[in-house]
Amino acid sequence: MEAWRCVRRGYGRCVVGRGRYPMFPHHQKSLGRDWTTPWENLQRCCWNRHISSCMRWPGHYSRAPYPYFSSRHFSLHWRPPCLFESRTPFQYWNWRPDSLSHSSLIHLSSYIMNSEGDEPSSKRRKHQGTIQRHWEYVCNHNKDKTKILGDKNADPKCEDSDNKFDFSVMSYNILSQDLLEDNSHLYRHCRQPVLHWSFRFPNILKEIKHFDADVLCLQEVQEDHYGAEIRPSLESLGYHCEYKMRTGRKPDGCAICFKHSKFSLLSVNPVEFYRRDVPLLDRDNVGLVLLLQPKLPRAASPVICVANTHLLYNPRRGDIKLTQLAMLLAEISSVAHQKDGSFCPIVMCGDFNSVPGSPLYSFIKEGKLNYEGLAIGKVSGQEQSSRGQRILSIPIWPPNLGISQNCVYEVQQLPKVEKTDGDLTQTELDKTEVLVTAEKLSSNLHHHFSLSSVYSHYFPDTGIPEVTTCHSRSAITVDYIFYSAEKEDVAGQPGAEVALVGGLKLLARLSLLTEQDLWTVNGLPNENNSSDHLPLLAKFRLEL
């Protein structure tokens, strides 16, 4: 820590004794509140690392370290591995402002480290204001070639007709008050009044009213607040609410709320990730899966499966995260499975505690993952230390969990008996399980859905990452809205129209922000945004 303070304040430690000597030239130049110094000399004294790739997510850029380091991690958490060299004069004594260039100089922010913690004082209580987010229209719905266009200030309205059904979905981690108070070190940059629930809830409700989504997927919904304030307030706005609290003594959970005017409820399917008979699954996270039917004038309208979850945070337990995800996917498969063998459209929201490009994220999008040799600390892409390097076991979860490597419920195959439709019980009709045979040990995971992410996670012009959460220690993306996208007709000729196979069209999304954008309003939470996460919002179209 002392060595890093030396870097910030412009002096180094002597190799012998306790004296200090100037590390940078006596004439170093100031640009506002920040300083610059020759990169070659800093590189000679400091740990050699790719600074140019600091702003990349893991897996996105070939030179990016894995796990990644953001510019803020370099500013706050980087440590030189050794003491500095003895006093050596710098060669840039005649530095002038016109010699400034990216290749020769490295920018040192003037953050002063606080003795009570690692958060920079220049990011605490610095600005007040309102962040600006706009609607991004989406065209060319091929999930690999999404383009943004249209009037960014307009609010695309959802429209229903005889041949299409439009609806909007919000995913929002609203920050449980108990968790906020238990992790107060994450909010040292905040003014105390903005952290009180009596201040936060009206802001959260104001956001929900403003965006007016047809479906809400909320995480970290505290049970006492849900019963006393959240549910009554949302019901007064025309929502029907379903809630699943975490198991054990955890005071929060997940909620899915939908508008009476848009949907009818067909089934509610809570998922508990804690299993007493499976030692691996000793955490209290949960999921919730609803089957909704759009309210349409036609006699037989399609159904939509909406799932919401908050996976385990612990970056070093990727084995638990993958198992929790497999359990959620198995429940979705059971609920969304239709009599003809296909799946109804799916929207899966939540805080997945995994970053873009990580193996867990890639598994969701690509439908497959070979985890042989994968360290448990690398599964979510959050891990940035040498801890958690135990390799995932094969298989990850034991057979008695009852979930296959294809992320569906396993059912014992019984001798075939001829049955007519009249012999089937109502229970069998309501919940169809996919029959699978015993599998040999394999390190390959699969799921049956074609899922895309509403967000691209990078700003196309700069490559800078979007962030969904920002507090004193971190600013990354962990929240997502995934949806079952249209599948291309691979047998079709070039230029053929996209074939709709249980897919949704993404019409628009509410833009996200960079870490720098959020720190201009003092990060999260702040006076206008009362969670440490941003709400995600998307508008979809279901072709009938």
Side-chain angles (χ1 to χ4, degrees), residues 218-219 243-247 253-256 268-274 284-290 306-311 324 327-328 331-332 349:
L218 307 178
Q219 305 89 41
Y243 178 69
K244 174 58 184 173
M245 189 174 74
R246 286 203 284 169
T247 51
C254 295
I256 300 179
V268 181
N269 307 273
V271 186
E272 295 183 354
F273 298 143
Y274 174 82
D284 294 309
N285 306 83
V286 295
L288 185 60
V289 183
L290 301 189
V306 179
N308 184 23
T309 193
H310 189 176
L311 299 185
Q324 290 179 347
M327 295 171 72
L328 180 69
E331 187 65 25
I332 293 173
C349 303

PDB file of all heavy atoms in Angstrom, residues 218-219 243-247 253-256 268-274 284-290 306-311 324 327-328 331-332 349:
ATOM      1  N   LEU A 218     -37.495  -8.575 -10.792  1.00  0.00           N
ATOM      2  CA  LEU A 218     -36.775  -7.852  -9.751  1.00  0.00           C
ATOM      3  C   LEU A 218     -35.950  -8.819  -8.914  1.00  0.00           C
ATOM      4  O   LEU A 218     -36.416  -9.907  -8.563  1.00  0.00           O
ATOM      5  CB  LEU A 218     -37.747  -7.090  -8.852  1.00  0.00           C
ATOM      6  CG  LEU A 218     -38.744  -6.151  -9.539  1.00  0.00           C
ATOM      7  CD1 LEU A 218     -39.670  -5.523  -8.513  1.00  0.00           C
ATOM      8  CD2 LEU A 218     -38.016  -5.076 -10.345  1.00  0.00           C
ATOM      9  N   GLN A 219     -34.729  -8.408  -8.584  1.00  0.00           N
ATOM     10  CA  GLN A 219     -33.870  -9.181  -7.696  1.00  0.00           C
ATOM     11  C   GLN A 219     -33.586  -8.371  -6.427  1.00  0.00           C
ATOM     12  O   GLN A 219     -33.750  -7.162  -6.410  1.00  0.00           O
ATOM     13  CB  GLN A 219     -32.547  -9.549  -8.382  1.00  0.00           C
ATOM     14  CG  GLN A 219     -32.698 -10.283  -9.709  1.00  0.00           C
ATOM     15  CD  GLN A 219     -32.788  -9.347 -10.897  1.00  0.00           C
ATOM     16  OE1 GLN A 219     -32.074  -8.353 -10.974  1.00  0.00           O
ATOM     17  NE2 GLN A 219     -33.673  -9.663 -11.838  1.00  0.00           N
ATOM     18  N   TYR A 243     -43.630 -13.946  -5.989  1.00  0.00           N
ATOM     19  CA  TYR A 243     -42.398 -13.724  -5.235  1.00  0.00           C
ATOM     20  C   TYR A 243     -41.854 -15.053  -4.720  1.00  0.00           C
ATOM     21  O   TYR A 243     -42.619 -15.930  -4.299  1.00  0.00           O
ATOM     22  CB  TYR A 243     -42.683 -12.794  -4.059  1.00  0.00           C
ATOM     23  CG  TYR A 243     -41.505 -12.499  -3.154  1.00  0.00           C
ATOM     24  CD1 TYR A 243     -40.436 -11.734  -3.590  1.00  0.00           C
ATOM     25  CD2 TYR A 243     -41.489 -12.970  -1.850  1.00  0.00           C
ATOM     26  CE1 TYR A 243     -39.370 -11.444  -2.745  1.00  0.00           C
ATOM     27  CE2 TYR A 243     -40.434 -12.689  -0.993  1.00  0.00           C
ATOM     28  CZ  TYR A 243     -39.375 -11.924  -1.449  1.00  0.00           C
ATOM     29  OH  TYR A 243     -38.331 -11.648  -0.606  1.00  0.00           O
ATOM     30  N   LYS A 244     -40.537 -15.186  -4.749  1.00  0.00           N
ATOM     31  CA  LYS A 244     -39.870 -16.345  -4.156  1.00  0.00           C
ATOM     32  C   LYS A 244     -38.714 -15.837  -3.295  1.00  0.00           C
ATOM     33  O   LYS A 244     -37.749 -15.265  -3.804  1.00  0.00           O
ATOM     34  CB  LYS A 244     -39.348 -17.291  -5.242  1.00  0.00           C
ATOM     35  CG  LYS A 244     -38.516 -18.450  -4.703  1.00  0.00           C
ATOM     36  CD  LYS A 244     -39.280 -19.300  -3.711  1.00  0.00           C
ATOM     37  CE  LYS A 244     -38.410 -20.391  -3.120  1.00  0.00           C
ATOM     38  NZ  LYS A 244     -39.099 -21.118  -2.022  1.00  0.00           N
ATOM     39  N   MET A 245     -38.830 -16.047  -1.987  1.00  0.00           N
ATOM     40  CA  MET A 245     -37.774 -15.617  -1.075  1.00  0.00           C
ATOM     41  C   MET A 245     -36.660 -16.655  -1.053  1.00  0.00           C
ATOM     42  O   MET A 245     -36.896 -17.856  -1.259  1.00  0.00           O
ATOM     43  CB  MET A 245     -38.337 -15.424   0.333  1.00  0.00           C
ATOM     44  CG  MET A 245     -37.351 -14.766   1.287  1.00  0.00           C
ATOM     45  SD  MET A 245     -38.070 -14.392   2.902  1.00  0.00           S
ATOM     46  CE  MET A 245     -38.150 -16.033   3.600  1.00  0.00           C
ATOM     47  N   ARG A 246     -35.455 -16.180  -0.814  1.00  0.00           N
ATOM     48  CA  ARG A 246     -34.335 -17.101  -0.672  1.00  0.00           C
ATOM     49  C   ARG A 246     -34.558 -18.036   0.508  1.00  0.00           C
ATOM     50  O   ARG A 246     -35.214 -17.695   1.476  1.00  0.00           O
ATOM     51  CB  ARG A 246     -33.027 -16.340  -0.488  1.00  0.00           C
ATOM     52  CG  ARG A 246     -32.514 -15.699  -1.767  1.00  0.00           C
ATOM     53  CD  ARG A 246     -31.024 -15.461  -1.697  1.00  0.00           C
ATOM     54  NE  ARG A 246     -30.692 -14.315  -0.857  1.00  0.00           N
ATOM     55  CZ  ARG A 246     -29.440 -14.023  -0.469  1.00  0.00           C
ATOM     56  NH1 ARG A 246     -28.449 -14.819  -0.796  1.00  0.00           N
ATOM     57  NH2 ARG A 246     -29.221 -12.954   0.258  1.00  0.00           N
ATOM     58  N   THR A 247     -33.966 -19.215   0.420  1.00  0.00           N
ATOM     59  CA  THR A 247     -34.099 -20.199   1.488  1.00  0.00           C
ATOM     60  C   THR A 247     -33.206 -19.816   2.667  1.00  0.00           C
ATOM     61  O   THR A 247     -32.451 -18.851   2.615  1.00  0.00           O
ATOM     62  CB  THR A 247     -33.731 -21.588   0.959  1.00  0.00           C
ATOM     63  OG1 THR A 247     -32.445 -21.515   0.300  1.00  0.00           O
ATOM     64  CG2 THR A 247     -34.761 -22.078  -0.044  1.00  0.00           C
ATOM     65  N   GLY A 253     -35.347 -11.946  -2.045  1.00  0.00           N
ATOM     66  CA  GLY A 253     -35.630 -12.942  -3.064  1.00  0.00           C
ATOM     67  C   GLY A 253     -35.905 -12.302  -4.410  1.00  0.00           C
ATOM     68  O   GLY A 253     -35.558 -11.141  -4.639  1.00  0.00           O
ATOM     69  N   CYS A 254     -36.521 -13.072  -5.287  1.00  0.00           N
ATOM     70  CA  CYS A 254     -36.820 -12.633  -6.653  1.00  0.00           C
ATOM     71  C   CYS A 254     -38.323 -12.486  -6.837  1.00  0.00           C
ATOM     72  O   CYS A 254     -39.110 -13.268  -6.290  1.00  0.00           O
ATOM     73  CB  CYS A 254     -36.284 -13.642  -7.668  1.00  0.00           C
ATOM     74  SG  CYS A 254     -34.485 -13.801  -7.699  1.00  0.00           S
ATOM     75  N   ALA A 255     -38.714 -11.510  -7.625  1.00  0.00           N
ATOM     76  CA  ALA A 255     -40.129 -11.286  -7.934  1.00  0.00           C
ATOM     77  C   ALA A 255     -40.306 -11.122  -9.436  1.00  0.00           C
ATOM     78  O   ALA A 255     -39.439 -10.549 -10.111  1.00  0.00           O
ATOM     79  CB  ALA A 255     -40.660 -10.050  -7.206  1.00  0.00           C
ATOM     80  N   ILE A 256     -41.405 -11.642  -9.952  1.00  0.00           N
ATOM     81  CA  ILE A 256     -41.835 -11.377 -11.329  1.00  0.00           C
ATOM     82  C   ILE A 256     -43.226 -10.767 -11.247  1.00  0.00           C
ATOM     83  O   ILE A 256     -44.133 -11.341 -10.635  1.00  0.00           O
ATOM     84  CB  ILE A 256     -41.861 -12.646 -12.198  1.00  0.00           C
ATOM     85  CG1 ILE A 256     -40.477 -13.285 -12.272  1.00  0.00           C
ATOM     86  CG2 ILE A 256     -42.354 -12.308 -13.605  1.00  0.00           C
ATOM     87  CD1 ILE A 256     -40.437 -14.566 -13.111  1.00  0.00           C
ATOM     88  N   VAL A 268     -46.913 -21.009 -11.961  1.00  0.00           N
ATOM     89  CA  VAL A 268     -45.832 -20.411 -11.166  1.00  0.00           C
ATOM     90  C   VAL A 268     -44.918 -21.542 -10.720  1.00  0.00           C
ATOM     91  O   VAL A 268     -45.382 -22.522 -10.122  1.00  0.00           O
ATOM     92  CB  VAL A 268     -46.384 -19.669  -9.933  1.00  0.00           C
ATOM     93  CG1 VAL A 268     -45.253 -19.037  -9.143  1.00  0.00           C
ATOM     94  CG2 VAL A 268     -47.408 -18.621 -10.348  1.00  0.00           C
ATOM     95  N   ASN A 269     -43.625 -21.399 -10.994  1.00  0.00           N
ATOM     96  CA  ASN A 269     -42.683 -22.491 -10.736  1.00  0.00           C
ATOM     97  C   ASN A 269     -41.433 -21.956 -10.032  1.00  0.00           C
ATOM     98  O   ASN A 269     -40.472 -21.523 -10.686  1.00  0.00           O
ATOM     99  CB  ASN A 269     -42.296 -23.160 -12.050  1.00  0.00           C
ATOM    100  CG  ASN A 269     -43.504 -23.590 -12.871  1.00  0.00           C
ATOM    101  OD1 ASN A 269     -44.026 -24.676 -12.703  1.00  0.00           O
ATOM    102  ND2 ASN A 269     -43.962 -22.704 -13.749  1.00  0.00           N
ATOM    103  N   PRO A 270     -41.409 -21.954  -8.706  1.00  0.00           N
ATOM    104  CA  PRO A 270     -40.218 -21.510  -7.978  1.00  0.00           C
ATOM    105  C   PRO A 270     -39.115 -22.570  -8.043  1.00  0.00           C
ATOM    106  O   PRO A 270     -39.404 -23.775  -8.152  1.00  0.00           O
ATOM    107  CB  PRO A 270     -40.721 -21.320  -6.551  1.00  0.00           C
ATOM    108  CG  PRO A 270     -41.895 -22.230  -6.437  1.00  0.00           C
ATOM    109  CD  PRO A 270     -42.520 -22.295  -7.804  1.00  0.00           C
ATOM    110  N   VAL A 271     -37.866 -22.130  -7.992  1.00  0.00           N
ATOM    111  CA  VAL A 271     -36.716 -23.027  -8.038  1.00  0.00           C
ATOM    112  C   VAL A 271     -35.818 -22.714  -6.850  1.00  0.00           C
ATOM    113  O   VAL A 271     -35.337 -21.583  -6.725  1.00  0.00           O
ATOM    114  CB  VAL A 271     -35.917 -22.878  -9.350  1.00  0.00           C
ATOM    115  CG1 VAL A 271     -34.820 -23.940  -9.430  1.00  0.00           C
ATOM    116  CG2 VAL A 271     -36.833 -22.961 -10.561  1.00  0.00           C
ATOM    117  N   GLU A 272     -35.589 -23.692  -6.005  1.00  0.00           N
ATOM    118  CA  GLU A 272     -34.669 -23.534  -4.877  1.00  0.00           C
ATOM    119  C   GLU A 272     -33.358 -24.226  -5.213  1.00  0.00           C
ATOM    120  O   GLU A 272     -33.342 -25.423  -5.521  1.00  0.00           O
ATOM    121  CB  GLU A 272     -35.277 -24.135  -3.610  1.00  0.00           C
ATOM    122  CG  GLU A 272     -36.525 -23.410  -3.134  1.00  0.00           C
ATOM    123  CD  GLU A 272     -37.080 -23.976  -1.825  1.00  0.00           C
ATOM    124  OE1 GLU A 272     -36.543 -25.018  -1.354  1.00  0.00           O
ATOM    125  OE2 GLU A 272     -38.028 -23.393  -1.288  1.00  0.00           O
ATOM    126  N   PHE A 273     -32.260 -23.480  -5.137  1.00  0.00           N
ATOM    127  CA  PHE A 273     -30.955 -24.032  -5.479  1.00  0.00           C
ATOM    128  C   PHE A 273     -30.287 -24.735  -4.293  1.00  0.00           C
ATOM    129  O   PHE A 273     -29.251 -25.374  -4.468  1.00  0.00           O
ATOM    130  CB  PHE A 273     -30.040 -22.926  -6.009  1.00  0.00           C
ATOM    131  CG  PHE A 273     -30.540 -22.279  -7.270  1.00  0.00           C
ATOM    132  CD1 PHE A 273     -30.375 -20.916  -7.492  1.00  0.00           C
ATOM    133  CD2 PHE A 273     -31.180 -23.014  -8.249  1.00  0.00           C
ATOM    134  CE1 PHE A 273     -30.833 -20.313  -8.655  1.00  0.00           C
ATOM    135  CE2 PHE A 273     -31.645 -22.426  -9.416  1.00  0.00           C
ATOM    136  CZ  PHE A 273     -31.468 -21.063  -9.611  1.00  0.00           C
ATOM    137  N   TYR A 274     -30.859 -24.595  -3.117  1.00  0.00           N
ATOM    138  CA  TYR A 274     -30.329 -25.318  -1.957  1.00  0.00           C
ATOM    139  C   TYR A 274     -30.902 -26.729  -1.930  1.00  0.00           C
ATOM    140  O   TYR A 274     -32.104 -26.929  -2.057  1.00  0.00           O
ATOM    141  CB  TYR A 274     -30.701 -24.594  -0.658  1.00  0.00           C
ATOM    142  CG  TYR A 274     -30.319 -25.369   0.591  1.00  0.00           C
ATOM    143  CD1 TYR A 274     -29.015 -25.332   1.091  1.00  0.00           C
ATOM    144  CD2 TYR A 274     -31.265 -26.161   1.249  1.00  0.00           C
ATOM    145  CE1 TYR A 274     -28.670 -26.052   2.216  1.00  0.00           C
ATOM    146  CE2 TYR A 274     -30.917 -26.887   2.383  1.00  0.00           C
ATOM    147  CZ  TYR A 274     -29.618 -26.828   2.861  1.00  0.00           C
ATOM    148  OH  TYR A 274     -29.273 -27.547   3.966  1.00  0.00           O
ATOM    149  N   ASP A 284     -28.233 -20.433  -0.707  1.00  0.00           N
ATOM    150  CA  ASP A 284     -29.667 -20.171  -0.602  1.00  0.00           C
ATOM    151  C   ASP A 284     -30.254 -19.369  -1.758  1.00  0.00           C
ATOM    152  O   ASP A 284     -31.308 -18.760  -1.611  1.00  0.00           O
ATOM    153  CB  ASP A 284     -29.957 -19.440   0.714  1.00  0.00           C
ATOM    154  CG  ASP A 284     -29.663 -20.317   1.923  1.00  0.00           C
ATOM    155  OD1 ASP A 284     -30.164 -21.450   1.947  1.00  0.00           O
ATOM    156  OD2 ASP A 284     -28.921 -19.878   2.819  1.00  0.00           O
ATOM    157  N   ASN A 285     -29.600 -19.365  -2.905  1.00  0.00           N
ATOM    158  CA  ASN A 285     -30.117 -18.628  -4.054  1.00  0.00           C
ATOM    159  C   ASN A 285     -31.352 -19.323  -4.624  1.00  0.00           C
ATOM    160  O   ASN A 285     -31.556 -20.527  -4.420  1.00  0.00           O
ATOM    161  CB  ASN A 285     -29.042 -18.501  -5.131  1.00  0.00           C
ATOM    162  CG  ASN A 285     -27.765 -17.895  -4.594  1.00  0.00           C
ATOM    163  OD1 ASN A 285     -26.941 -18.601  -4.013  1.00  0.00           O
ATOM    164  ND2 ASN A 285     -27.604 -16.605  -4.771  1.00  0.00           N
ATOM    165  N   VAL A 286     -32.149 -18.555  -5.356  1.00  0.00           N
ATOM    166  CA  VAL A 286     -33.404 -19.092  -5.899  1.00  0.00           C
ATOM    167  C   VAL A 286     -33.639 -18.562  -7.308  1.00  0.00           C
ATOM    168  O   VAL A 286     -32.962 -17.639  -7.774  1.00  0.00           O
ATOM    169  CB  VAL A 286     -34.616 -18.705  -5.017  1.00  0.00           C
ATOM    170  CG1 VAL A 286     -34.508 -19.347  -3.645  1.00  0.00           C
ATOM    171  CG2 VAL A 286     -34.772 -17.196  -4.917  1.00  0.00           C
ATOM    172  N   GLY A 287     -34.615 -19.148  -7.960  1.00  0.00           N
ATOM    173  CA  GLY A 287     -35.107 -18.674  -9.243  1.00  0.00           C
ATOM    174  C   GLY A 287     -36.621 -18.742  -9.262  1.00  0.00           C
ATOM    175  O   GLY A 287     -37.246 -19.348  -8.377  1.00  0.00           O
ATOM    176  N   LEU A 288     -37.221 -18.149 -10.268  1.00  0.00           N
ATOM    177  CA  LEU A 288     -38.677 -18.145 -10.406  1.00  0.00           C
ATOM    178  C   LEU A 288     -39.008 -18.182 -11.890  1.00  0.00           C
ATOM    179  O   LEU A 288     -38.443 -17.408 -12.674  1.00  0.00           O
ATOM    180  CB  LEU A 288     -39.268 -16.896  -9.749  1.00  0.00           C
ATOM    181  CG  LEU A 288     -40.786 -16.766  -9.682  1.00  0.00           C
ATOM    182  CD1 LEU A 288     -41.404 -17.919  -8.890  1.00  0.00           C
ATOM    183  CD2 LEU A 288     -41.180 -15.431  -9.055  1.00  0.00           C
ATOM    184  N   VAL A 289     -39.902 -19.098 -12.269  1.00  0.00           N
ATOM    185  CA  VAL A 289     -40.275 -19.275 -13.683  1.00  0.00           C
ATOM    186  C   VAL A 289     -41.796 -19.199 -13.791  1.00  0.00           C
ATOM    187  O   VAL A 289     -42.514 -19.946 -13.123  1.00  0.00           O
ATOM    188  CB  VAL A 289     -39.771 -20.625 -14.235  1.00  0.00           C
ATOM    189  CG1 VAL A 289     -40.109 -20.744 -15.727  1.00  0.00           C
ATOM    190  CG2 VAL A 289     -38.266 -20.785 -14.013  1.00  0.00           C
ATOM    191  N   LEU A 290     -42.286 -18.290 -14.631  1.00  0.00           N
ATOM    192  CA  LEU A 290     -43.716 -18.152 -14.875  1.00  0.00           C
ATOM    193  C   LEU A 290     -44.047 -18.512 -16.320  1.00  0.00           C
ATOM    194  O   LEU A 290     -43.233 -18.273 -17.222  1.00  0.00           O
ATOM    195  CB  LEU A 290     -44.199 -16.723 -14.617  1.00  0.00           C
ATOM    196  CG  LEU A 290     -44.004 -16.104 -13.232  1.00  0.00           C
ATOM    197  CD1 LEU A 290     -44.763 -14.783 -13.151  1.00  0.00           C
ATOM    198  CD2 LEU A 290     -44.416 -17.031 -12.121  1.00  0.00           C
ATOM    199  N   VAL A 306     -41.251 -16.770 -18.745  1.00  0.00           N
ATOM    200  CA  VAL A 306     -40.412 -15.710 -18.185  1.00  0.00           C
ATOM    201  C   VAL A 306     -39.722 -16.255 -16.937  1.00  0.00           C
ATOM    202  O   VAL A 306     -40.390 -16.755 -16.016  1.00  0.00           O
ATOM    203  CB  VAL A 306     -41.247 -14.464 -17.824  1.00  0.00           C
ATOM    204  CG1 VAL A 306     -40.354 -13.392 -17.220  1.00  0.00           C
ATOM    205  CG2 VAL A 306     -41.963 -13.929 -19.056  1.00  0.00           C
ATOM    206  N   ALA A 307     -38.391 -16.151 -16.902  1.00  0.00           N
ATOM    207  CA  ALA A 307     -37.600 -16.656 -15.773  1.00  0.00           C
ATOM    208  C   ALA A 307     -36.798 -15.520 -15.169  1.00  0.00           C
ATOM    209  O   ALA A 307     -36.356 -14.595 -15.873  1.00  0.00           O
ATOM    210  CB  ALA A 307     -36.676 -17.780 -16.224  1.00  0.00           C
ATOM    211  N   ASN A 308     -36.580 -15.608 -13.870  1.00  0.00           N
ATOM    212  CA  ASN A 308     -35.836 -14.590 -13.132  1.00  0.00           C
ATOM    213  C   ASN A 308     -34.977 -15.287 -12.085  1.00  0.00           C
ATOM    214  O   ASN A 308     -35.441 -16.237 -11.433  1.00  0.00           O
ATOM    215  CB  ASN A 308     -36.807 -13.619 -12.459  1.00  0.00           C
ATOM    216  CG  ASN A 308     -36.101 -12.471 -11.750  1.00  0.00           C
ATOM    217  OD1 ASN A 308     -34.959 -12.127 -12.080  1.00  0.00           O
ATOM    218  ND2 ASN A 308     -36.761 -11.866 -10.780  1.00  0.00           N
ATOM    219  N   THR A 309     -33.727 -14.845 -11.906  1.00  0.00           N
ATOM    220  CA  THR A 309     -32.851 -15.469 -10.916  1.00  0.00           C
ATOM    221  C   THR A 309     -31.791 -14.502 -10.444  1.00  0.00           C
ATOM    222  O   THR A 309     -31.568 -13.449 -11.056  1.00  0.00           O
ATOM    223  CB  THR A 309     -32.185 -16.738 -11.490  1.00  0.00           C
ATOM    224  OG1 THR A 309     -31.577 -17.483 -10.422  1.00  0.00           O
ATOM    225  CG2 THR A 309     -31.102 -16.367 -12.505  1.00  0.00           C
ATOM    226  N   HIS A 310     -31.153 -14.864  -9.351  1.00  0.00           N
ATOM    227  CA  HIS A 310     -29.978 -14.159  -8.826  1.00  0.00           C
ATOM    228  C   HIS A 310     -29.008 -15.242  -8.392  1.00  0.00           C
ATOM    229  O   HIS A 310     -29.166 -15.844  -7.331  1.00  0.00           O
ATOM    230  CB  HIS A 310     -30.368 -13.257  -7.656  1.00  0.00           C
ATOM    231  CG  HIS A 310     -29.272 -12.346  -7.208  1.00  0.00           C
ATOM    232  ND1 HIS A 310     -29.441 -11.400  -6.214  1.00  0.00           N
ATOM    233  CD2 HIS A 310     -27.977 -12.225  -7.605  1.00  0.00           C
ATOM    234  CE1 HIS A 310     -28.311 -10.737  -6.026  1.00  0.00           C
ATOM    235  NE2 HIS A 310     -27.413 -11.240  -6.860  1.00  0.00           N
ATOM    236  N   LEU A 311     -27.995 -15.505  -9.231  1.00  0.00           N
ATOM    237  CA  LEU A 311     -27.035 -16.566  -8.951  1.00  0.00           C
ATOM    238  C   LEU A 311     -26.060 -16.149  -7.850  1.00  0.00           C
ATOM    239  O   LEU A 311     -25.900 -14.972  -7.531  1.00  0.00           O
ATOM    240  CB  LEU A 311     -26.263 -16.944 -10.215  1.00  0.00           C
ATOM    241  CG  LEU A 311     -27.071 -17.477 -11.404  1.00  0.00           C
ATOM    242  CD1 LEU A 311     -26.118 -17.923 -12.516  1.00  0.00           C
ATOM    243  CD2 LEU A 311     -27.990 -18.622 -10.994  1.00  0.00           C
ATOM    244  N   GLN A 324     -26.325 -24.120 -10.384  1.00  0.00           N
ATOM    245  CA  GLN A 324     -27.545 -23.327 -10.220  1.00  0.00           C
ATOM    246  C   GLN A 324     -28.146 -22.969 -11.575  1.00  0.00           C
ATOM    247  O   GLN A 324     -29.369 -23.048 -11.764  1.00  0.00           O
ATOM    248  CB  GLN A 324     -27.239 -22.060  -9.423  1.00  0.00           C
ATOM    249  CG  GLN A 324     -26.916 -22.309  -7.963  1.00  0.00           C
ATOM    250  CD  GLN A 324     -26.593 -21.031  -7.208  1.00  0.00           C
ATOM    251  OE1 GLN A 324     -26.364 -19.969  -7.809  1.00  0.00           O
ATOM    252  NE2 GLN A 324     -26.580 -21.101  -5.889  1.00  0.00           N
ATOM    253  N   MET A 327     -29.892 -25.965 -13.053  1.00  0.00           N
ATOM    254  CA  MET A 327     -31.189 -26.209 -12.405  1.00  0.00           C
ATOM    255  C   MET A 327     -32.256 -25.265 -12.940  1.00  0.00           C
ATOM    256  O   MET A 327     -33.405 -25.662 -13.169  1.00  0.00           O
ATOM    257  CB  MET A 327     -31.037 -26.059 -10.890  1.00  0.00           C
ATOM    258  CG  MET A 327     -30.124 -27.103 -10.261  1.00  0.00           C
ATOM    259  SD  MET A 327     -29.759 -26.756  -8.526  1.00  0.00           S
ATOM    260  CE  MET A 327     -31.344 -27.132  -7.764  1.00  0.00           C
ATOM    261  N   LEU A 328     -31.886 -24.000 -13.143  1.00  0.00           N
ATOM    262  CA  LEU A 328     -32.844 -23.048 -13.710  1.00  0.00           C
ATOM    263  C   LEU A 328     -33.224 -23.435 -15.133  1.00  0.00           C
ATOM    264  O   LEU A 328     -34.405 -23.412 -15.507  1.00  0.00           O
ATOM    265  CB  LEU A 328     -32.248 -21.640 -13.678  1.00  0.00           C
ATOM    266  CG  LEU A 328     -33.150 -20.536 -14.233  1.00  0.00           C
ATOM    267  CD1 LEU A 328     -34.348 -20.307 -13.315  1.00  0.00           C
ATOM    268  CD2 LEU A 328     -32.369 -19.237 -14.421  1.00  0.00           C
ATOM    269  N   GLU A 331     -35.664 -26.301 -15.216  1.00  0.00           N
ATOM    270  CA  GLU A 331     -37.035 -25.888 -14.914  1.00  0.00           C
ATOM    271  C   GLU A 331     -37.658 -25.154 -16.101  1.00  0.00           C
ATOM    272  O   GLU A 331     -38.837 -25.376 -16.437  1.00  0.00           O
ATOM    273  CB  GLU A 331     -37.058 -25.011 -13.670  1.00  0.00           C
ATOM    274  CG  GLU A 331     -38.437 -24.664 -13.172  1.00  0.00           C
ATOM    275  CD  GLU A 331     -39.228 -25.870 -12.687  1.00  0.00           C
ATOM    276  OE1 GLU A 331     -38.610 -26.883 -12.291  1.00  0.00           O
ATOM    277  OE2 GLU A 331     -40.477 -25.812 -12.719  1.00  0.00           O
ATOM    278  N   ILE A 332     -36.878 -24.293 -16.754  1.00  0.00           N
ATOM    279  CA  ILE A 332     -37.377 -23.599 -17.943  1.00  0.00           C
ATOM    280  C   ILE A 332     -37.744 -24.610 -19.022  1.00  0.00           C
ATOM    281  O   ILE A 332     -38.790 -24.511 -19.679  1.00  0.00           O
ATOM    282  CB  ILE A 332     -36.333 -22.599 -18.467  1.00  0.00           C
ATOM    283  CG1 ILE A 332     -36.140 -21.451 -17.467  1.00  0.00           C
ATOM    284  CG2 ILE A 332     -36.738 -22.049 -19.829  1.00  0.00           C
ATOM    285  CD1 ILE A 332     -35.004 -20.517 -17.831  1.00  0.00           C
ATOM    286  N   CYS A 349     -34.162 -13.439 -17.277  1.00  0.00           N
ATOM    287  CA  CYS A 349     -33.565 -12.223 -16.713  1.00  0.00           C
ATOM    288  C   CYS A 349     -32.850 -12.543 -15.412  1.00  0.00           C
ATOM    289  O   CYS A 349     -33.080 -13.573 -14.791  1.00  0.00           O
ATOM    290  CB  CYS A 349     -34.645 -11.176 -16.425  1.00  0.00           C
ATOM    291  SG  CYS A 349     -35.645 -10.702 -17.841  1.00  0.00           S
TER     292      CYS A 349
END
